[in-house]
Amino acid sequence: MLVLTEQAIEAIRNIVEDSELGPNGGLRISGANGSNGEGALEFELATEAQPGDHVVQDGGTTVFLDEAAARDLDGKTLDVHAHGDHFHFSIEDADEAAETG
């Protein structure tokens, strides 16, 4: 299952609250095919889970993962770094994140 860092929890919660998505809203991560044929991830805000989504809830934050994202992110850690008016998401193996965190 995907693990969220404290920074990710806070940033996602603030983004969702600012977007006024309602009580069931969250960040949705879906798998997509990149232009080079490799898998890519897409991030978007969603008012609720889609059928088949895996739901990760932590610290008042909700993340929806479609089947591809849930498979690709299993055992990973999602972190967020603020850069001025936007955020950069990073994904690491859970073991590596624990060592550096």
Side-chain angles (χ1 to χ4, degrees):
M1 183 63 74
L2 178 67
V3 175
L4 307 176
T5 65
E6 289 298 321
Q7 294 90 339
I9 291 169
E10 183 177 336
I12 295 167
R13 184 175 50 234
N14 289 336
I15 292 167
V16 169
E17 287 174 358
D18 289 348
S19 298
E20 300 180 5
L21 295 174
N24 298 321
L27 176 69
R28 185 163 194 271
I29 305 174
S30 56
N33 289 326
S35 59
N36 60 1
E38 292 185 16
L41 296 173
E42 294 181 357
F43 294 74
E44 64 184 341
L45 296 175
T47 56
E48 62 186 2
Q50 298 296 312
D53 278 355
H54 296 251
V55 179
V56 177
Q57 293 182 309
D58 191 357
T61 296
T62 303
V63 176
F64 310 118
L65 305 170
D66 75 357
E67 291 288 333
R71 181 185 61 246
D72 293 345
L73 296 176
D74 187 34
K76 306 284 186 189
T77 299
L78 178 67
D79 198 6
V80 177
H81 304 279
H83 290 274
D85 63 346
H86 62 279
F87 296 93
H88 289 220
F89 290 89
S90 65
I91 298 168
E92 298 181 28
D93 287 329
D95 293 339
E96 291 176 20
E99 290 174 11
T100 60

Coordinates of all heavy atoms in Angstrom, one line a residue:
M1 N 0.8 -1.2 0.0 CA 0.0 0.0 0.0 C 0.9 1.2 0.0 O 2.0 1.2 0.6 CB -0.9 0.0 1.2 CG -1.9 1.1 1.3 SD -3.1 1.2 0.0 CE -4.2 -0.1 0.5
L2 N 0.4 2.3 -0.6 CA 1.1 3.6 -0.7 C 1.2 4.2 0.7 O 0.2 4.2 1.4 CB 0.4 4.5 -1.7 CG 1.0 5.9 -1.8 CD1 2.4 5.8 -2.5 CD2 0.1 6.8 -2.6
V3 N 2.3 4.7 1.1 CA 2.5 5.5 2.3 C 2.7 6.9 2.0 O 3.4 7.3 1.0 CB 3.8 4.9 3.1 CG1 4.0 5.7 4.3 CG2 3.6 3.4 3.4
L4 N 2.1 7.8 2.8 CA 2.2 9.2 2.6 C 3.1 9.8 3.7 O 2.9 9.5 4.9 CB 0.8 9.9 2.7 CG -0.3 9.4 1.8 CD1 -1.6 10.1 2.1 CD2 0.1 9.5 0.4
T5 N 4.0 10.7 3.3 CA 4.8 11.4 4.4 C 3.9 12.5 5.0 O 2.9 12.9 4.5 CB 6.0 12.1 3.7 OG1 5.6 13.1 2.8 CG2 6.9 11.1 3.0
E6 N 4.4 13.0 6.1 CA 3.7 14.1 6.8 C 3.5 15.3 5.9 O 2.5 16.0 5.9 CB 4.4 14.5 8.1 CG 4.3 13.5 9.2 CD 2.9 13.2 9.7 OE1 2.1 14.2 9.7 OE2 2.6 12.0 9.9
Q7 N 4.6 15.6 5.1 CA 4.5 16.7 4.2 C 3.5 16.5 3.1 O 2.7 17.4 2.7 CB 5.9 17.0 3.5 CG 7.0 17.4 4.4 CD 7.7 16.3 5.0 OE1 7.3 15.1 5.1 NE2 8.9 16.5 5.5
A8 N 3.4 15.3 2.6 CA 2.4 14.9 1.6 C 1.0 15.1 2.2 O 0.1 15.6 1.5 CB 2.6 13.5 1.1
I9 N 0.8 14.5 3.4 CA -0.5 14.6 4.0 C -1.0 16.1 4.1 O -2.1 16.4 3.8 CB -0.5 14.0 5.4 CG1 -0.3 12.4 5.3 CG2 -1.7 14.3 6.2 CD1 0.0 11.7 6.6
E10 N -0.1 16.9 4.7 CA -0.4 18.3 4.9 C -0.7 19.0 3.5 O -1.7 19.8 3.4 CB 0.7 19.1 5.6 CG 0.4 20.5 5.9 CD 1.5 21.2 6.7 OE1 2.2 20.5 7.4 OE2 1.5 22.4 6.6
A11 N 0.2 18.8 2.5 CA 0.0 19.5 1.3 C -1.3 19.1 0.5 O -2.0 19.9 0.0 CB 1.2 19.3 0.4
I12 N -1.5 17.8 0.5 CA -2.7 17.3 -0.2 C -4.0 17.8 0.5 O -4.9 18.2 -0.1 CB -2.7 15.8 -0.3 CG1 -1.5 15.3 -1.2 CG2 -4.0 15.2 -0.8 CD1 -1.2 13.8 -1.2
R13 N -4.0 17.7 1.9 CA -5.1 18.2 2.6 C -5.4 19.7 2.3 O -6.5 20.0 2.1 CB -4.9 18.0 4.1 CG -6.1 18.3 5.0 CD -6.0 18.0 6.4 NE -4.7 18.5 7.0 CZ -3.8 17.8 7.6 NH1 -4.0 16.5 7.8 NH2 -2.7 18.3 8.1
N14 N -4.4 20.5 2.3 CA -4.5 21.9 2.0 C -5.1 22.1 0.6 O -5.9 23.0 0.3 CB -3.2 22.7 2.2 CG -2.9 22.8 3.7 OD1 -3.8 22.7 4.6 ND2 -1.6 23.0 4.0
I15 N -4.5 21.4 -0.4 CA -4.9 21.5 -1.8 C -6.4 21.2 -1.9 O -7.2 21.9 -2.6 CB -4.1 20.7 -2.7 CG1 -2.7 21.2 -2.8 CG2 -4.7 20.6 -4.1 CD1 -1.7 20.2 -3.4
V16 N -6.8 20.1 -1.3 CA -8.2 19.6 -1.4 C -9.1 20.6 -0.7 O -10.2 21.0 -1.2 CB -8.3 18.2 -0.8 CG1 -9.8 17.8 -0.6 CG2 -7.6 17.2 -1.7
E17 N -8.8 21.1 0.5 CA -9.6 22.1 1.2 C -9.7 23.4 0.4 O -10.8 23.9 0.3 CB -9.0 22.4 2.6 CG -9.2 21.2 3.6 CD -8.5 21.5 4.9 OE1 -7.8 22.5 5.1 OE2 -8.6 20.6 5.8
D18 N -8.6 23.8 -0.2 CA -8.7 25.1 -1.0 C -9.5 24.9 -2.2 O -10.1 25.9 -2.8 CB -7.3 25.5 -1.4 CG -6.5 26.0 -0.2 OD1 -7.0 26.3 0.9 OD2 -5.2 26.2 -0.4
S19 N -9.6 23.7 -2.8 CA -10.4 23.4 -4.0 C -11.9 23.2 -3.7 O -12.6 23.0 -4.7 CB -9.8 22.2 -4.7 OG -8.5 22.4 -5.1
E20 N -12.3 23.1 -2.4 CA -13.6 23.0 -2.0 C -14.3 21.8 -2.7 O -15.4 21.9 -3.3 CB -14.4 24.2 -2.3 CG -13.9 25.4 -1.5 CD -14.6 26.7 -1.8 OE1 -15.7 26.7 -2.5 OE2 -14.2 27.8 -1.2
L21 N -13.6 20.6 -2.7 CA -14.2 19.4 -3.3 C -15.2 18.7 -2.5 O -15.8 17.8 -3.0 CB -13.0 18.4 -3.6 CG -11.9 18.9 -4.5 CD1 -10.8 17.9 -4.6 CD2 -12.5 19.0 -5.9
G22 N -15.4 19.1 -1.3 CA -16.4 18.5 -0.4 C -15.8 17.4 0.5 O -14.6 17.1 0.4
P23 N -16.6 16.8 1.3 CA -16.1 15.9 2.3 C -15.5 14.6 1.8 O -14.7 13.9 2.5 CB -17.3 15.6 3.2 CG -18.4 15.9 2.3 CD -18.0 17.0 1.4
N24 N -15.8 14.2 0.6 CA -15.3 13.0 0.0 C -14.2 13.2 -1.0 O -13.7 12.2 -1.7 CB -16.5 12.2 -0.7 CG -17.5 11.8 0.3 OD1 -17.2 11.4 1.4 ND2 -18.8 11.9 -0.1
G25 N -13.8 14.4 -1.2 CA -12.8 14.8 -2.2 C -11.4 14.3 -1.8 O -11.1 14.1 -0.6
G26 N -10.5 14.2 -2.8 CA -9.1 13.9 -2.6 C -8.3 14.0 -3.8 O -8.8 14.5 -4.9
L27 N -7.1 13.5 -3.7 CA -6.2 13.5 -4.9 C -6.3 12.2 -5.5 O -6.3 11.1 -4.9 CB -4.7 13.7 -4.4 CG -3.7 13.6 -5.5 CD1 -3.7 14.8 -6.4 CD2 -2.3 13.5 -4.8
R28 N -6.5 12.1 -6.9 CA -6.6 10.9 -7.6 C -5.3 10.7 -8.4 O -4.9 11.6 -9.1 CB -7.8 10.8 -8.5 CG -8.0 9.5 -9.2 CD -9.4 9.3 -9.7 NE -9.7 7.9 -10.0 CZ -9.4 7.4 -11.2 NH1 -8.9 8.1 -12.2 NH2 -9.7 6.1 -11.4
I29 N -4.7 9.5 -8.3 CA -3.5 9.2 -9.1 C -3.9 8.0 -10.0 O -4.5 7.0 -9.5 CB -2.4 8.8 -8.2 CG1 -2.1 9.9 -7.1 CG2 -1.1 8.4 -9.0 CD1 -1.0 9.5 -6.1
S30 N -3.7 8.2 -11.3 CA -4.0 7.1 -12.2 C -2.8 6.8 -13.1 O -2.0 7.7 -13.3 CB -5.2 7.5 -13.1 OG -5.0 8.8 -13.7
G31 N -2.7 5.6 -13.5 CA -1.7 5.1 -14.4 C -2.0 5.5 -15.8 O -3.2 5.4 -16.2
A32 N -1.0 5.8 -16.6 CA -1.2 6.2 -18.0 C 0.0 5.7 -18.7 O 1.1 5.6 -18.2 CB -1.4 7.7 -18.1
N33 N -0.1 5.5 -20.0 CA 1.0 5.2 -20.8 C 1.7 6.5 -21.3 O 1.1 7.4 -21.8 CB 0.6 4.4 -22.1 CG 0.2 3.0 -21.7 OD1 0.7 2.4 -20.8 ND2 -0.8 2.5 -22.4
G34 N 3.0 6.6 -21.0 CA 3.8 7.7 -21.4 C 4.0 7.7 -22.9 O 3.9 6.7 -23.6
S35 N 4.5 8.8 -23.4 CA 4.8 8.9 -24.9 C 5.9 8.0 -25.3 O 6.0 7.6 -26.5 CB 5.1 10.3 -25.3 OG 6.2 10.8 -24.5
N36 N 6.7 7.6 -24.4 CA 7.8 6.6 -24.7 C 7.4 5.2 -24.5 O 8.3 4.3 -24.5 CB 9.1 7.0 -23.9 CG 8.8 6.9 -22.4 OD1 7.8 6.5 -21.9 ND2 9.9 7.2 -21.6
G37 N 6.2 4.9 -24.2 CA 5.7 3.6 -24.0 C 5.8 3.1 -22.6 O 5.3 2.0 -22.2
E38 N 6.5 3.9 -21.7 CA 6.6 3.5 -20.3 C 5.4 4.0 -19.5 O 4.8 5.0 -19.9 CB 7.9 4.0 -19.7 CG 9.1 3.4 -20.3 CD 10.4 3.9 -19.6 OE1 10.3 4.4 -18.6 OE2 11.5 3.6 -20.2
G39 N 5.2 3.4 -18.4 CA 4.1 3.9 -17.6 C 4.4 5.3 -17.0 O 5.5 5.6 -16.7
A40 N 3.3 6.0 -16.8 CA 3.4 7.3 -16.2 C 2.2 7.5 -15.2 O 1.3 6.7 -15.3 CB 3.3 8.4 -17.3
L41 N 2.3 8.4 -14.4 CA 1.2 8.7 -13.4 C 0.6 10.0 -13.7 O 1.3 11.0 -14.0 CB 1.8 8.6 -12.0 CG 2.3 7.3 -11.5 CD1 3.0 7.4 -10.2 CD2 1.2 6.2 -11.5
E42 N -0.7 10.1 -13.6 CA -1.4 11.4 -13.7 C -2.0 11.7 -12.3 O -2.6 10.9 -11.7 CB -2.5 11.3 -14.8 CG -1.9 11.1 -16.1 CD -3.0 11.0 -17.2 OE1 -4.2 11.1 -16.9 OE2 -2.6 10.9 -18.4
F43 N -1.9 13.0 -12.0 CA -2.5 13.5 -10.7 C -3.6 14.5 -11.0 O -3.4 15.4 -11.8 CB -1.4 14.2 -9.9 CG -0.2 13.3 -9.4 CD1 0.7 12.8 -10.3 CD2 -0.1 12.9 -8.1 CE1 1.7 12.0 -9.9 CE2 0.9 12.1 -7.6 CZ 1.8 11.6 -8.5
E44 N -4.7 14.3 -10.3 CA -5.8 15.2 -10.5 C -6.7 15.2 -9.2 O -6.6 14.3 -8.4 CB -6.7 14.9 -11.7 CG -7.4 13.5 -11.5 CD -8.2 13.1 -12.8 OE1 -8.5 13.9 -13.6 OE2 -8.4 11.9 -12.9
L45 N -7.4 16.3 -9.0 CA -8.3 16.4 -7.9 C -9.6 15.7 -8.3 O -10.1 15.8 -9.4 CB -8.6 17.8 -7.5 CG -7.3 18.6 -7.0 CD1 -7.6 20.0 -6.8 CD2 -6.8 17.9 -5.7
A46 N -10.2 15.0 -7.3 CA -11.5 14.3 -7.6 C -12.4 14.5 -6.4 O -12.0 14.6 -5.2 CB -11.2 12.8 -7.8
T47 N -13.7 14.6 -6.7 CA -14.7 14.8 -5.7 C -15.0 13.5 -4.9 O -15.6 13.5 -3.8 CB -16.1 15.3 -6.3 OG1 -16.5 14.5 -7.3 CG2 -15.8 16.7 -6.8
E48 N -14.7 12.3 -5.5 CA -14.9 11.1 -4.9 C -14.2 10.0 -5.7 O -13.7 10.2 -6.8 CB -16.4 10.7 -4.9 CG -17.0 10.6 -6.3 CD -18.5 10.4 -6.2 OE1 -19.1 10.4 -5.1 OE2 -19.1 10.3 -7.3
A49 N -14.1 8.8 -5.1 CA -13.4 7.7 -5.7 C -14.2 7.2 -6.9 O -15.5 7.3 -7.0 CB -13.3 6.5 -4.7
Q50 N -13.5 6.7 -7.9 CA -14.2 6.1 -9.1 C -14.3 4.6 -8.8 O -13.6 4.0 -8.0 CB -13.3 6.3 -10.3 CG -13.1 7.8 -10.7 CD -14.4 8.4 -11.1 OE1 -15.2 7.9 -11.9 NE2 -14.7 9.6 -10.5
P51 N -15.2 3.9 -9.5 CA -15.4 2.5 -9.3 C -14.0 1.8 -9.5 O -13.3 2.0 -10.5 CB -16.4 2.1 -10.3 CG -17.2 3.3 -10.6 CD -16.2 4.4 -10.4
G52 N -13.6 0.9 -8.6 CA -12.4 0.2 -8.7 C -11.2 0.8 -8.1 O -10.1 0.3 -8.0
D53 N -11.4 2.1 -7.6 CA -10.2 2.8 -7.0 C -9.9 2.2 -5.7 O -10.8 1.8 -4.9 CB -10.6 4.3 -6.8 CG -10.4 5.2 -8.0 OD1 -9.9 4.6 -9.0 OD2 -10.7 6.3 -7.9
H54 N -8.6 2.2 -5.3 CA -8.1 1.9 -4.0 C -8.1 3.2 -3.3 O -7.6 4.2 -3.8 CB -6.7 1.3 -4.0 CG -6.7 0.0 -4.7 ND1 -6.6 -1.2 -4.1 CD2 -6.9 -0.4 -6.1 CE1 -6.6 -2.2 -4.9 NE2 -6.8 -1.7 -6.2
V55 N -8.5 3.3 -2.0 CA -8.5 4.5 -1.2 C -7.5 4.4 -0.1 O -7.5 3.5 0.7 CB -9.9 4.8 -0.7 CG1 -10.0 6.1 0.1 CG2 -11.0 4.8 -1.8
V56 N -6.6 5.4 -0.1 CA -5.6 5.6 1.0 C -6.0 6.8 1.8 O -6.2 7.9 1.3 CB -4.2 5.8 0.4 CG1 -3.2 6.0 1.6 CG2 -3.8 4.6 -0.4
Q57 N -6.3 6.6 3.1 CA -6.6 7.7 4.0 C -5.6 7.7 5.1 O -5.3 6.7 5.7 CB -8.0 7.5 4.5 CG -9.1 7.6 3.5 CD -10.5 7.5 4.0 OE1 -10.8 6.6 4.7 NE2 -11.3 8.5 3.6
D58 N -5.1 9.0 5.4 CA -4.1 9.1 6.4 C -4.2 10.6 6.9 O -4.1 11.5 6.0 CB -2.7 8.8 5.9 CG -1.7 8.7 7.0 OD1 -2.0 8.9 8.2 OD2 -0.6 8.3 6.7
G59 N -4.3 10.8 8.1 CA -4.3 12.2 8.7 C -5.3 13.2 8.1 O -5.0 14.3 8.0
G60 N -6.5 12.7 7.7 CA -7.5 13.5 7.2 C -7.3 13.8 5.7 O -8.0 14.6 5.1
T61 N -6.4 13.1 5.1 CA -6.1 13.2 3.6 C -6.6 11.9 2.9 O -6.4 10.8 3.4 CB -4.6 13.4 3.4 OG1 -4.2 14.6 4.0 CG2 -4.3 13.4 1.9
T62 N -7.2 12.1 1.7 CA -7.6 10.9 1.0 C -6.9 11.0 -0.4 O -6.9 12.0 -1.1 CB -9.1 11.0 0.8 OG1 -9.8 11.0 2.1 CG2 -9.6 9.8 0.0
V63 N -6.4 9.8 -0.8 CA -5.8 9.6 -2.1 C -6.5 8.4 -2.7 O -6.6 7.4 -2.1 CB -4.3 9.4 -2.0 CG1 -3.7 9.1 -3.4 CG2 -3.6 10.5 -1.3
F64 N -6.9 8.6 -4.0 CA -7.6 7.6 -4.7 C -6.6 7.0 -5.8 O -5.9 7.8 -6.4 CB -8.8 8.1 -5.5 CG -9.8 8.9 -4.6 CD1 -10.0 10.2 -4.9 CD2 -10.4 8.3 -3.6 CE1 -10.9 10.9 -4.2 CE2 -11.3 9.0 -2.8 CZ -11.6 10.3 -3.1
L65 N -6.4 5.7 -5.9 CA -5.5 5.1 -6.8 C -6.3 4.2 -7.7 O -7.0 3.3 -7.3 CB -4.5 4.3 -6.1 CG -3.7 5.0 -5.0 CD1 -2.9 4.0 -4.2 CD2 -2.8 6.0 -5.6
D66 N -6.2 4.4 -9.0 CA -6.8 3.4 -9.9 C -6.0 2.1 -9.9 O -5.0 2.1 -9.2 CB -7.0 4.0 -11.4 CG -5.7 4.1 -12.2 OD1 -4.6 3.7 -11.7 OD2 -5.7 4.5 -13.3
E67 N -6.4 1.1 -10.6 CA -5.8 -0.2 -10.5 C -4.3 -0.1 -10.9 O -3.5 -0.7 -10.2 CB -6.5 -1.2 -11.4 CG -7.9 -1.6 -10.9 CD -7.9 -2.5 -9.7 OE1 -6.9 -3.2 -9.4 OE2 -8.8 -2.4 -8.9
A68 N -4.0 0.6 -11.9 CA -2.6 0.6 -12.4 C -1.7 1.4 -11.4 O -0.6 0.9 -11.1 CB -2.5 1.3 -13.8
A69 N -2.2 2.5 -10.9 CA -1.4 3.3 -9.9 C -1.3 2.5 -8.6 O -0.2 2.5 -8.0 CB -2.1 4.6 -9.6
A70 N -2.3 1.8 -8.2 CA -2.2 1.0 -6.9 C -1.2 -0.1 -7.1 O -0.4 -0.3 -6.2 CB -3.6 0.4 -6.6
R71 N -1.1 -0.7 -8.2 CA -0.1 -1.8 -8.5 C 1.3 -1.1 -8.5 O 2.2 -1.6 -7.9 CB -0.4 -2.5 -9.8 CG 0.5 -3.6 -10.2 CD 0.2 -4.2 -11.6 NE 0.4 -3.1 -12.6 CZ -0.6 -2.7 -13.3 NH1 -1.9 -3.1 -13.1 NH2 -0.5 -1.7 -14.2
D72 N 1.4 0.0 -9.2 CA 2.8 0.6 -9.4 C 3.3 1.2 -8.1 O 4.5 1.3 -7.9 CB 2.7 1.7 -10.5 CG 2.5 1.1 -11.9 OD1 2.7 -0.2 -12.1 OD2 2.1 1.8 -12.8
L73 N 2.4 1.7 -7.3 CA 2.8 2.4 -6.0 C 2.8 1.5 -4.8 O 3.1 2.0 -3.7 CB 1.9 3.6 -5.9 CG 2.0 4.7 -7.0 CD1 1.0 5.8 -6.7 CD2 3.4 5.2 -7.1
D74 N 2.5 0.3 -4.9 CA 2.5 -0.6 -3.8 C 3.9 -0.7 -3.2 O 4.9 -0.9 -3.9 CB 2.0 -2.0 -4.2 CG 1.8 -2.9 -3.0 OD1 1.4 -2.4 -1.9 OD2 2.1 -4.1 -3.1
G75 N 4.0 -0.4 -1.9 CA 5.3 -0.4 -1.2 C 6.1 0.8 -1.4 O 7.3 0.9 -1.2
K76 N 5.5 1.9 -2.0 CA 6.2 3.2 -2.2 C 5.7 4.2 -1.2 O 4.7 4.1 -0.5 CB 5.9 3.7 -3.6 CG 6.1 2.7 -4.7 CD 7.6 2.6 -5.0 CE 7.8 1.7 -6.3 NZ 9.1 1.3 -6.5
T77 N 6.5 5.3 -1.2 CA 6.2 6.4 -0.3 C 6.0 7.7 -1.2 O 6.9 7.9 -2.0 CB 7.3 6.7 0.7 OG1 7.4 5.5 1.6 CG2 7.0 7.9 1.6
L78 N 4.9 8.4 -1.0 CA 4.7 9.6 -1.7 C 5.1 10.8 -0.8 O 4.6 10.9 0.3 CB 3.2 9.7 -2.0 CG 2.7 11.0 -2.8 CD1 3.4 11.1 -4.2 CD2 1.2 11.1 -2.8
D79 N 5.9 11.7 -1.4 CA 6.3 12.9 -0.6 C 6.0 14.1 -1.5 O 5.8 14.0 -2.7 CB 7.8 12.8 -0.3 CG 8.3 13.8 0.8 OD1 7.4 14.4 1.4 OD2 9.5 13.9 1.0
V80 N 5.9 15.2 -0.9 CA 5.6 16.5 -1.6 C 6.6 17.6 -1.1 O 6.9 17.7 0.1 CB 4.2 16.9 -1.3 CG1 3.9 18.3 -2.0 CG2 3.2 15.9 -1.8
H81 N 7.1 18.3 -2.1 CA 8.0 19.4 -1.8 C 7.4 20.7 -2.4 O 7.1 20.7 -3.6 CB 9.4 19.2 -2.3 CG 10.0 17.9 -1.8 ND1 10.6 17.8 -0.6 CD2 10.0 16.7 -2.4 CE1 11.0 16.5 -0.4 NE2 10.6 15.8 -1.5
A82 N 7.2 21.7 -1.6 CA 6.7 23.0 -2.1 C 7.8 23.8 -2.8 O 8.9 23.8 -2.3 CB 6.2 23.8 -0.9
H83 N 7.5 24.3 -3.9 CA 8.4 25.2 -4.7 C 7.6 26.4 -5.1 O 7.0 26.4 -6.2 CB 8.9 24.4 -6.0 CG 9.8 23.3 -5.6 ND1 11.2 23.5 -5.4 CD2 9.6 22.0 -5.4 CE1 11.7 22.4 -5.1 NE2 10.8 21.4 -5.1
G84 N 7.6 27.4 -4.3 CA 6.9 28.7 -4.6 C 5.4 28.4 -4.6 O 4.9 28.0 -3.6
D85 N 4.8 28.6 -5.7 CA 3.3 28.5 -5.8 C 2.9 27.1 -6.3 O 1.7 26.9 -6.7 CB 2.8 29.6 -6.7 CG 3.3 29.5 -8.2 OD1 4.2 28.7 -8.4 OD2 2.7 30.1 -9.0
H86 N 3.8 26.1 -6.4 CA 3.4 24.8 -6.9 C 4.2 23.7 -6.1 O 5.0 24.0 -5.2 CB 3.7 24.6 -8.4 CG 5.1 24.8 -8.7 ND1 5.8 26.0 -8.9 CD2 6.1 23.8 -9.0 CE1 7.0 25.8 -9.2 NE2 7.3 24.5 -9.2
F87 N 3.8 22.5 -6.3 CA 4.4 21.4 -5.6 C 5.0 20.4 -6.5 O 4.6 20.2 -7.6 CB 3.3 20.6 -4.8 CG 2.6 21.5 -3.7 CD1 1.5 22.2 -4.0 CD2 3.1 21.6 -2.5 CE1 0.8 23.0 -3.0 CE2 2.6 22.3 -1.5 CZ 1.4 23.0 -1.8
H88 N 6.0 19.7 -6.0 CA 6.6 18.6 -6.7 C 6.4 17.3 -5.9 O 6.7 17.3 -4.7 CB 8.1 18.8 -6.9 CG 8.5 19.9 -7.8 ND1 9.6 19.8 -8.7 CD2 8.0 21.1 -8.1 CE1 9.7 20.9 -9.4 NE2 8.8 21.7 -9.0
F89 N 5.8 16.3 -6.6 CA 5.6 15.1 -5.9 C 6.8 14.2 -6.2 O 7.3 14.2 -7.3 CB 4.3 14.4 -6.5 CG 3.1 15.1 -6.1 CD1 2.5 16.1 -6.8 CD2 2.4 14.7 -4.9 CE1 1.4 16.8 -6.4 CE2 1.2 15.3 -4.5 CZ 0.7 16.4 -5.3
S90 N 7.2 13.4 -5.2 CA 8.2 12.4 -5.5 C 7.8 11.1 -4.9 O 7.0 11.0 -3.9 CB 9.6 12.8 -4.8 OG 9.5 12.9 -3.4
I91 N 8.3 10.0 -5.5 CA 7.9 8.7 -5.1 C 9.2 7.9 -4.9 O 10.0 7.8 -5.8 CB 7.0 8.0 -6.2 CG1 5.7 8.8 -6.3 CG2 6.7 6.5 -5.8 CD1 4.9 8.4 -7.5
E92 N 9.3 7.2 -3.7 CA 10.4 6.4 -3.4 C 10.0 5.1 -2.9 O 8.8 4.9 -2.4 CB 11.3 7.1 -2.3 CG 11.8 8.5 -2.7 CD 12.6 9.0 -1.5 OE1 13.2 8.3 -0.8 OE2 12.7 10.3 -1.5
D93 N 10.9 4.1 -2.9 CA 10.6 2.8 -2.3 C 10.4 3.1 -0.8 O 11.2 4.0 -0.2 CB 11.7 1.8 -2.5 CG 11.7 1.3 -3.9 OD1 10.6 1.2 -4.5 OD2 12.8 0.9 -4.4
A94 N 9.5 2.5 -0.1 CA 9.3 2.7 1.3 C 10.5 2.5 2.1 O 10.8 3.3 3.1 CB 8.1 1.8 1.8
D95 N 11.3 1.6 1.8 CA 12.6 1.3 2.6 C 13.5 2.5 2.4 O 14.2 2.9 3.4 CB 13.3 0.0 2.1 CG 12.5 -1.2 2.4 OD1 11.6 -1.1 3.3 OD2 12.7 -2.2 1.7
E96 N 13.7 3.0 1.2 CA 14.6 4.2 1.0 C 14.1 5.4 1.7 O 14.9 6.2 2.3 CB 14.7 4.5 -0.5 CG 15.5 3.4 -1.3 CD 15.5 3.7 -2.8 OE1 15.3 4.9 -3.1 OE2 15.7 2.8 -3.5
A97 N 12.8 5.6 1.7 CA 12.2 6.8 2.4 C 12.4 6.7 3.9 O 12.7 7.7 4.5 CB 10.7 6.9 2.0
A98 N 12.3 5.5 4.4 CA 12.5 5.4 5.9 C 13.9 5.7 6.3 O 14.2 6.2 7.3 CB 12.1 3.9 6.3
E99 N 14.9 5.3 5.4 CA 16.3 5.5 5.7 C 16.6 7.0 5.6 O 17.4 7.5 6.4 CB 17.2 4.8 4.7 CG 17.1 3.3 4.9 CD 17.9 2.5 3.8 OE1 18.6 3.2 3.0 OE2 17.7 1.3 3.7
T100 N 16.0 7.8 4.7 CA 16.3 9.2 4.5 C 15.4 10.1 5.4 O 15.8 11.2 5.6 CB 16.2 9.6 3.0 OG1 14.9 9.4 2.6 CG2 17.2 8.8 2.2
G101 N 14.3 9.5 5.8 CA 13.3 10.3 6.5 C 13.7 10.5 7.9 O 13.6 11.3 8.7

